[in-house]
Amino acid sequence: SMGSSEGAGYANGDGNLMGWINELCYVRLDLNPYAPTDPWTKGVHTGMSHMYLGQRAATRLAALGGIDLPEELKPDHPNMNTMKHEGHAKCLKLIQAAMKDPAKREQCKQIYETIGVYLGYALAQYSEHYIIENVLILGRVSTGEGGQIMLDKAKEVLMAEFPHLGAMQFHQPDEHFKRVGQCIAAAALPQI
């Protein structure tokens, strides 16, 4: 789920849920010591996946993608560097609106393409530990036309850089379920 963080679950080869959802927001994707950090680790952890595969990724890329951001939604503003996600959701809505504006669409599209590159490499990294054949994509970042652009770019990365993973299939539910799907899936897990 590519929303306010990154969550993932794993189903076995028979399609059975394993009974947990993994919080993958602390998987280090970027090994650059100057990679972005989050507000709660205060520089201790850099390059974590939630800075590349969710709303925080969209926020970090918004200005580069031509989005006119009010000061309080800019990535370096103190309000955007807390554990709260509301500002990032607002920023994502501005990005999604820009995708519908023909004058802004081409530059804005690069936000989704960049997140798609991140996703392709992340899935390759996750494949070092899991057998991944099918990926159900959820979260607000995956909604709308931008979500499909993101998935197309991720597939392009897999085919070009990791052809042995090229058979990986992406699946998407309807737009509403994308936004709230992780919550529904978590609620459906059995109690232990």
Side-chain angles (χ1 to χ4, degrees), residues 131-147:
I131 297 169
I132 302 176
E133 297 172 350
N134 294 284
V135 181
L136 175 63
I137 300 292
L138 303 169
R140 289 181 185 166
V141 174
S142 70
T143 60
E145 180 188 7

Side-chain angles (χ1 to χ4, degrees), residues 27-151:
V27 173
R28 191 169 189 192
L29 297 179
D30 188 344
L31 300 180
N32 181 339
Y34 301 105
T37 187
D38 55 43
W40 45 92
T41 63
K42 301 189 184 339
V44 174
H45 298 117
T46 59
M48 297 297 135
S49 62
H50 63 278
M51 299 299 290
Y52 293 83
L53 298 176
Q55 292 176 15
R56 289 179 189 274
T59 297
R60 285 189 321 101
L61 298 168
L64 295 171
I67 307 302
D68 297 320
L69 296 173
E71 192 62 36
E72 68 273 7
L73 294 182
K74 291 184 178 178
D76 293 333
H77 191 278
N79 291 346
M80 298 299 278
N81 287 289
T82 69
M83 292 184 76
K84 295 182 180 179
H85 303 289
E86 292 84 3
H88 299 284
K90 288 178 184 176
C91 187
L92 183 58
K93 286 180 183 179
L94 293 175
I95 294 168
Q96 291 167 333
M99 280 296 291
K100 296 176 184 174
D101 181 343
K104 296 180 180 180
R105 185 184 180 284
E106 283 307 305
Q107 187 174 0
C108 181
K109 184 172 111 171
Q110 294 175 16
I111 295 168
Y112 290 100
E113 289 174 337
T114 301
I115 296 172
V117 169
Y118 297 157
L119 177 61
Y121 280 99
L123 289 169
Q125 182 176 331
Y126 300 159
S127 292
E128 293 177 7
H129 305 283
Y130 299 102
I131 297 169
I132 302 176
E133 297 172 350
N134 294 284
V135 181
L136 175 63
I137 300 292
L138 303 169
R140 289 181 185 166
V141 174
S142 70
T143 60
E145 180 188 7
Q148 188 59 51
I149 291 167
M150 177 189 70
L151 294 181

Side-chain angles (χ1 to χ4, degrees), residues 5-27:
S5 185
E6 184 194 6
Y10 190 77
N12 65 19
D14 295 326
N16 297 316
L17 290 176
M18 301 303 292
W20 66 81
I21 292 181
N22 298 320
E23 184 62 50
L24 292 179
C25 73
Y26 295 107
V27 173

